[in-house]
Amino acid sequence: MNPRIAVVSGGIGGLGTAICLSLARNGRRVVAADLDHDPTRVAAFAQATQGHDIQLRPLDVTDSAACKGMVRELEDAHGAIDVLVNAAGITRDTRLRNMEQHQWDEVMSVNLDGVFNLCRPAVDGMIRRGFGRIVNISSVNGQTGQFGQTNYSAAKAGMHGFTMALAREVARHGITVNTVSPGYCETAMVMALNEDVRSKVVESVPVGRLGKPEEIARAVEFLAADDAAFVTGINLPVNGGLFMSF
């Protein structure tokens, strides 16, 4: 049997790299779809993934035509995309009173429109094959809200609404759609925070530390597995107890 084909948007970021490695180590042929404008990030990704069945595919998830084209090329080469992980995301933090229109639009375009732009063309091939795993990477801040993140929190909350609706549409076709909501993790975005701010974040987490990207990847791997076929429409929090709900 040929290996499952997995696409990870935002694949060269901290979480994205860990997800790509986890999927590859579990037998997937992985395509990391991400911007390639930063040579330092690209080089770090190449080094981290050396020796694994992972390739970088330059992609701007806000470009609907480019997303359709990539999906079409992968389907022509492999038959269909089996696993799609939507991990691309950006922040443009500021209070709403100071937020410019472009700061709202940019976050929505990457974090939410990007999910549509990849899911829309990928779903048809999954339906034809009768198999698919879609995992959308949201955030604890989509559940709780966060000061200075009306744009980001709205996009991440909207992502799970999208997840639940699509899960209902495709469940009878062997396709699951789920959300993973990470808490604060050891990524470049979080580590760039002021040390005092970061310390306060850690103090608020019941387990007393930041999460590791590999711990988020483990949750993604669980939902992407062939035998996770009865799990769909859920939001799986991986946040060290920062936010708990029934």
Side-chain angles (χ1 to χ4, degrees):
M1 179 179 175
N2 292 328
R4 299 279 191 199
I5 305 302
V7 172
V8 181
S9 76
I12 70 173
L15 291 182
T17 299
I19 292 167
C20 286
L21 285 167
S22 178
L23 292 171
R25 287 166 179 158
N26 283 277
R28 304 339 187 282
R29 179 168 294 160
V30 180
V31 176
D34 207 330
L35 299 174
D36 63 347
H37 300 161
D38 186 340
T40 301
R41 291 180 76 227
V42 171
F45 176 78
Q47 182 176 6
T49 58
Q50 188 174 10
H52 297 278
D53 193 357
I54 302 172
Q55 62 171 284
L56 171 61
R57 175 65 183 260
L59 182 71
D60 179 353
V61 297
T62 71
D63 186 335
S64 177
C67 291
K68 289 177 183 177
M70 184 195 72
V71 171
R72 189 179 307 115
E73 289 178 18
L74 290 175
E75 288 181 343
D76 289 345
H78 305 289
I81 293 172
D82 301 293
V83 178
L84 172 61
V85 181
N86 289 296
I90 62 170
T91 57
R92 298 289 184 268
D93 295 353
T94 188
R95 292 185 299 172
L96 182 66
R97 293 175 62 191
N98 300 326
M99 189 173 293
E100 302 290 343
Q101 185 69 46
H102 72 88
Q103 293 171 305
W104 176 270
D105 292 342
E106 288 167 7
V107 168
M108 288 296 169
S109 185
V110 174
N111 296 12
L112 195 53
D113 292 354
V115 176
F116 169 81
N117 289 341
L118 280 171
C119 285
R120 175 60 189 89
V123 159
D124 286 343
M126 291 179 177
I127 290 174
R128 287 194 301 272
R129 181 172 283 188
F131 177 89
R133 299 285 182 268
I134 298 173
V135 183
N136 297 319
I137 307 300
S138 183
S139 168
V140 65
N141 292 343
Q143 298 176 283
T144 65
Q146 180 58 275
F147 186 95
Q149 288 195 331
T150 51
N151 48 7
Y152 184 81
S153 296
K156 291 302 189 178
M159 182 183 288
H160 187 57
F162 180 99
T163 288
M164 292 187 291
L166 182 57
R168 292 182 182 276
E169 292 181 12
V170 299
R172 297 295 180 94
H173 300 285
I175 303 167
T176 65
V177 190
N178 293 291
T179 299
V180 172
S181 287
Y184 290 91
C185 295
E186 294 174 357
T187 61
M189 186 184 300
V190 173
M191 300 309 289
L193 293 172
N194 177 281
E195 187 173 347
D196 290 340
V197 173
R198 196 165 65 246
S199 295
K200 290 178 181 178
V201 168
V202 171
E203 288 175 7
S204 68
V205 179
V207 302
R209 64 174 175 84
L210 298 174
K212 300 181 184 301
E214 293 77 15
E215 292 172 315
I216 310 304
R218 179 66 186 88
V220 173
E221 173 57 39
F222 163 67
L223 294 172
D226 283 17
D227 57 2
F230 205 57
V231 182
T232 196
I234 72 161
N235 183 16
L236 178 56
V238 188
N239 60 38
L242 179 61
F243 175 70
M244 304 180 191
S245 65
F246 180 69

